[in-house]
Amino acid sequence: MAEAGTGFLEQLKSCIVWSWTYLCTLWFFIMLFLVYILRVPLKINDNLTTVSMFLNTLTPKFYVALTGTSSLISGLILIFEWWYFRKYGTSFIEQVSVSHLRPLLGGVDNSAPSAASAAAGDADSNRQSVSECKVWRNPLNLFRGAEYNRYTWVTGREPLTYYDMNLSAQDHQTFFTCDTDHLRPADAIMQKAWRERNPQARISAAHEALELNECATAYILLAEEEATTIVEAEKLFKQALKAGEGCYRRSQQLQHHGAQYEAQHRRDTNVLVYIKRRLAMCARKLGRTREAVKMMRDLMKEFPLLSMFNIHENLLEALLELQAYADVQAVLAKYDDISLPKSATICYTAALLKARAVSDKFSPEAASRRGLSTAEMNAVEAIHRAVEFNPHVPKYLLEMKSLILPPEHILKRGDSEAIAYAFFHLQHWKRVEGALNLLHCTWEGTFRMIPYPLEKGHLFYPYPICTETADRELLPSFHEVSVYPKKELPFFILFTAGLCSFTAMLALLTHQFPELMGVFAKAFLSTLFAPLNFVMEKVESILPSSLWHQLTRI
């Protein structure tokens, strides 16, 4: 009964809104008719004549000033609109009209869902937005001292942003500290060191901690930030491994004695996994790729539940370097699952393997004549899937945009993830003959399948709208952030640009040719009002001129 009453009220409300639209239109025409009927007592014709006489007495200087002022005002509006659009990605006038004026004018979305479903939809969209816009640790992040700092020494540019380094500091405090650190002097010093903003202060604190004890986290900090080469970093990580294994064995025996011991064991586990992973990355960078693969496999077997480090992405890159494509396929079969989070590495590696089967013989001309084979269709679909997940990657793989050093954190489906993937995997795509040619011929077809990516996806969720803002904080200022989808210029920017140009041209022409522009203006106005004058003459011929007097007599 309550649902029936609610439905009746909704129908009644929609009928009132529908009828109100037509009532407003009818009211408008009635007002026009009354103005026409009352034109004699209101002396409308006399007033129009007076206005026309006044306009005729104005000099051309007035019109020059009028058009010049209009051009100046519209130019200022254009500059403000352009600045607002570049900073916030939307038109200020459009935003104000939609958020403030539309409710006042009674703008109602007839297709709006019920309150309960709308609330549920908002909650789902908020959850999706939070998950999609989460910033992740880059599993292939470089070494600060041996790589990022060397780039700064050579170019004078900072490759890392403050926001990115601040996130790394938070990660270090989460992984490498625990509540019982104050009981051990060396760990207490390192707990403060991870919070230091000054790199030299952090390095000095690490040396101070090593003077007290063999501290694994102190060696980690020195390997990451003080070592100027990968060889030096590897030596320090080996010392950290020796200290970290001892702490791990001791805490493993005591982990069930209380919550504090369990937290300490969790911290020691994170430290040990981090050290072994970075040692594997050092081996990979120094050319010992098979050794790196073995270390990564052993680490994944020993700690299968620690997926936060995404070690499988390091393993995929190393296996591609060895051209062990069967092993790469085996890793993908385990991690390219619908229940697991995706990444550009997963999607584009899967596309690379399928493209490898057909790319050496692929020809666009031959494919257009005979059509795509089953294997070619599978490869194209895999490329479309990868491009839908992260549309920024192809421009870096095809070298249409210049690469920079990847940040320490990435945003999935964003430009930062595309840079991190292409920086390490571009060489693997080049090694497969014809893979980049196949990508070049097919990747843009993805956008025809998803004409409105922010509203609806094909194989994944709609593309998140927060990637541009997050990427601008993660990537250095000298890099031009890739934006998807491309934002079209709002109507009001185009309108104000046209208005500014038109009024400026009128001001210039009126100043240079005042008499000619006066003749042109009179001809234009007479032509503009000709249909109105024609209609008024027809109405006067139908209606008696003394209708107002007859109405007063009644």
Side-chain angles (χ1 to χ4, degrees):
M1 189 68 181
E3 293 180 356
T6 305
F8 174 75
L9 290 176
E10 291 292 335
Q11 292 180 358
L12 180 61
K13 183 178 179 180
S14 62
C15 290
I16 293 174
V17 172
W18 175 80
S19 61
W20 181 251
T21 304
Y22 291 94
L23 286 175
C24 290
T25 306
L26 180 62
W27 176 83
F28 177 73
F29 282 107
I30 290 175
M31 292 301 297
L32 287 180
F33 181 74
L34 288 176
V35 168
Y36 175 77
I37 294 299
L38 300 175
R39 70 186 187 281
V40 176
L42 294 178
K43 299 180 180 180
I44 294 178
N45 292 332
D46 296 340
N47 293 332
L48 291 177
T49 304
T50 305
V51 170
S52 62
M53 292 175 60
F54 173 75
L55 294 177
N56 289 330
T57 59
L58 295 175
T59 61
K61 292 183 179 181
F62 171 80
Y63 294 103
V64 172
L66 178 63
T67 52
T69 306
S70 302
S71 177
L72 176 62
I73 294 175
S74 56
L76 294 176
I77 295 174
L78 172 63
I79 294 172
F80 175 76
E81 277 283 294
W82 177 256
W83 169 81
Y84 195 87
F85 172 73
R86 293 288 294 177
K87 186 170 184 178
Y88 299 104
T90 185
S91 167
F92 174 78
I93 300 176
E94 183 178 348
Q95 186 179 19
V96 170
S97 61
V98 170
S99 59
H100 296 88
L101 298 182
R102 186 178 178 185
L104 295 177
L105 297 176
V108 178
D109 187 4
N110 294 329
S111 60
S114 61
S117 61
D122 290 342
D124 292 340
S125 63
N126 289 336
R127 284 195 298 269
Q128 174 191 339
S129 176
V130 170
S131 62
E132 289 286 351
C133 296
K134 177 183 176 182
V135 176
W136 299 72
R137 182 82 177 175
N138 182 7
L140 296 169
N141 65 307
L142 305 178
F143 293 84
R144 283 197 190 177
E147 292 171 305
Y148 287 121
N149 287 347
R150 291 172 68 89
Y151 176 84
T152 304
W153 297 337
V154 173
T155 64
R157 292 178 170 181
E158 289 290 343
L160 298 176
T161 63
Y162 173 78
Y163 176 70
D164 192 14
M165 292 188 288
N166 187 47
L167 290 176
S168 297
Q170 296 176 17
D171 292 340
H172 295 152
Q173 293 176 49
T174 302
F175 294 146
F176 302 151
T177 63
C178 65
D179 295 336
T180 60
D181 283 346
H182 65 279
L183 302 177
R184 297 175 297 277
D187 289 336
I189 293 175
M190 288 307 302
Q191 191 175 36
K192 296 179 180 179
W194 293 121
R195 298 172 183 170
E196 284 285 348
R197 293 185 179 181
N198 187 357
Q200 292 302 322
R202 289 196 297 269
I203 293 173
S204 300
H207 284 292
E208 182 181 353
L210 288 176
E211 292 176 359
L212 299 176
N213 192 8
E214 289 290 309
C215 181
T217 54
Y219 282 119
I220 289 177
L221 193 148
L222 295 178
E224 291 285 352
E225 301 192 20
E226 188 181 40
T228 56
T229 63
I230 301 297
V231 175
E232 294 179 13
E234 186 181 33
K235 291 180 181 178
L236 290 169
F237 273 121
K238 287 181 178 179
Q239 292 178 280
L241 178 62
K242 183 178 179 180
E245 285 179 338
C247 293
Y248 175 76
R249 286 192 294 268
R250 287 193 296 270
S251 63
Q252 190 177 24
Q253 298 173 358
L254 301 174
Q255 61 176 318
H256 301 296
H257 291 190
Q260 291 184 345
Y261 293 102
E262 184 178 355
Q264 184 177 345
H265 176 66
R266 192 183 308 115
R267 190 278 307 268
D268 293 337
T269 303
N270 292 336
V271 170
L272 184 63
V273 171
Y274 185 89
I275 294 171
K276 289 186 175 182
R277 173 173 160 269
R278 292 304 257 179
L279 277 173
M281 294 177 68
C282 288
R284 166 68 184 91
K285 292 176 184 292
L286 294 173
R288 306 194 306 271
T289 309
R290 295 188 182 277
E291 178 186 345
V293 169
K294 183 180 183 303
M295 295 173 67
M296 293 174 191
R297 289 188 185 278
D298 293 342
L299 187 58
M300 293 170 66
K301 290 179 181 178
E302 186 178 0
F303 302 98
L305 300 180
L306 287 181
S307 60
M308 69 184 81
F309 292 105
N310 291 327
I311 305 172
H312 61 276
E313 296 195 9
N314 299 84
L315 179 60
L316 283 173
E317 195 278 328
L319 290 173
L320 286 173
E321 177 64 21
L322 295 174
Q323 301 185 40
Y325 296 110
D327 294 335
V328 172
Q329 186 62 56
V331 175
L332 286 178
K334 180 178 180 181
Y335 289 96
D336 192 5
D337 187 82
I338 192 172
S339 61
L340 297 177
K342 298 293 181 291
S343 67
T345 301
I346 294 292
C347 295
Y348 277 90
T349 303
L352 177 61
L353 292 187
K354 292 188 177 180
R356 176 177 169 270
V358 298
S359 59
D360 56 338
K361 300 178 181 178
F362 177 79
S363 171
E365 295 79 10
S368 61
R369 289 196 305 268
R370 59 174 169 78
L372 295 174
S373 64
T374 303
E376 290 173 340
M377 184 64 71
N378 291 336
V380 172
E381 289 178 354
I383 289 176
H384 287 177
R385 170 178 178 260
V387 175
E388 181 184 351
F389 181 83
N390 194 317
H392 309 281
V393 173
K395 289 187 177 182
Y396 294 106
L397 293 180
L398 298 173
E399 298 181 88
M400 300 166 64
K401 279 181 67 72
S402 59
L403 276 172
I404 62 172
L405 294 185
E408 292 183 337
H409 289 80
I410 59 174
L411 180 69
K412 288 192 175 183
R413 308 185 73 177
D415 190 31
S416 53
E417 184 192 33
I419 292 172
Y421 172 79
F423 186 85
F424 293 98
H425 288 261
L426 176 59
Q427 56 181 333
H428 307 317
W429 279 82
K430 287 183 175 180
R431 188 177 294 122
V432 177
E433 183 182 357
L436 290 176
N437 178 45
L438 179 60
L439 177 68
H440 174 71
C441 296
T442 57
W443 73 280
E444 291 181 336
T446 310
F447 307 129
R448 292 191 290 271
M449 300 167 54
I450 317 170
Y452 303 103
L454 297 178
E455 301 173 8
K456 185 179 181 181
H458 180 59
L459 298 174
F460 300 100
Y461 285 114
Y463 192 79
I465 62 176
C466 61
T467 56
E468 180 184 359
T469 304
D471 280 332
R472 290 191 187 279
E473 294 182 340
L474 288 172
L475 298 173
S477 58
F478 58 82
H479 172 71
E480 183 180 356
V481 176
S482 176
V483 179
Y484 175 79
K486 283 291 184 182
K487 295 179 180 178
E488 298 180 357
L489 286 177
F491 165 76
F492 287 105
I493 290 183
L494 300 175
F495 175 76
T496 51
L499 181 63
C500 178
S501 303
F502 179 70
T503 51
M505 183 184 64
L506 283 181
L508 180 62
L509 292 176
T510 306
H511 177 71
Q512 294 291 332
F513 312 101
E515 297 181 358
L516 182 61
M517 288 301 295
V519 174
F520 175 77
K522 291 179 181 178
F524 175 76
L525 292 176
S526 61
T527 305
L528 183 64
F529 287 104
L532 181 60
N533 294 330
F534 176 77
V535 172
M536 292 182 65
E537 290 176 359
K538 289 297 182 181
V539 172
E540 288 178 353
S541 63
I542 296 173
L543 296 176
S545 59
S546 60
L547 180 61
W548 171 254
H549 299 287
Q550 294 178 8
L551 289 175
T552 54
R553 291 176 183 176
I554 294 175

